[in-house]
Amino acid sequence: MSVDSGGGDRFPQWSVQETREFLMIRAELDPTFMETKRNKVLWEVISTKMKERGYNRSGEQCKCKWKNLVTRYKVFMMHVEGKP
């Protein structure tokens, strides 16, 4: 799976530490994500918090990373459970 969000420009791959930081921030905001359908602003909040921690990721990149992680998790769980 690609880490970039499309277009011709490639973004640096997410480090393990960056992904951990991202997941901690996303977890903090999880209740808010559950309350709202439109969450573009929340991805921007995550982007800002990532920048405060030294990681330069856009809201769109954060959203894409989350979708990739959820998809990989689902595929992994299907494999573990023995489903095709």
Side-chain angles (χ1 to χ4, degrees):
M1 282 183 217
S2 179
V3 219
D4 69 352
S5 64
D9 297 324
R10 300 221 17 114
F11 299 102
Q13 188 169 351
W14 292 62
S15 69
V16 172
Q17 185 59 36
E18 183 179 11
T19 301
R20 281 189 186 124
E21 297 278 349
F22 168 73
L23 289 172
M24 287 190 293
I25 294 167
R26 176 58 177 78
E28 289 171 13
L29 293 171
D30 193 58
T32 312
F33 271 92
M34 297 300 174
E35 293 170 3
T36 181
K37 295 263 190 255
R38 299 196 181 273
N39 50 27
K40 181 178 170 84
V41 172
L42 293 174
W43 291 117
E44 292 303 325
V45 169
I46 290 175
S47 171
T48 299
K49 288 180 179 272
M50 291 290 286
K51 286 180 179 132
E52 288 169 2
R53 296 177 187 192
Y55 303 107
N56 190 24
R57 298 293 179 173
S58 69
E60 188 60 34
Q61 286 174 297
C62 292
K63 178 181 175 183
C64 184
K65 180 66 172 178
W66 179 254
K67 286 181 147 187
N68 279 338
L69 289 170
V70 169
T71 300
R72 286 173 165 183
Y73 174 78
K74 287 178 180 177
V75 168
F76 174 78
M77 291 308 293
M78 284 188 339
H79 177 73
V80 168
E81 294 170 357
K83 296 179 182 174

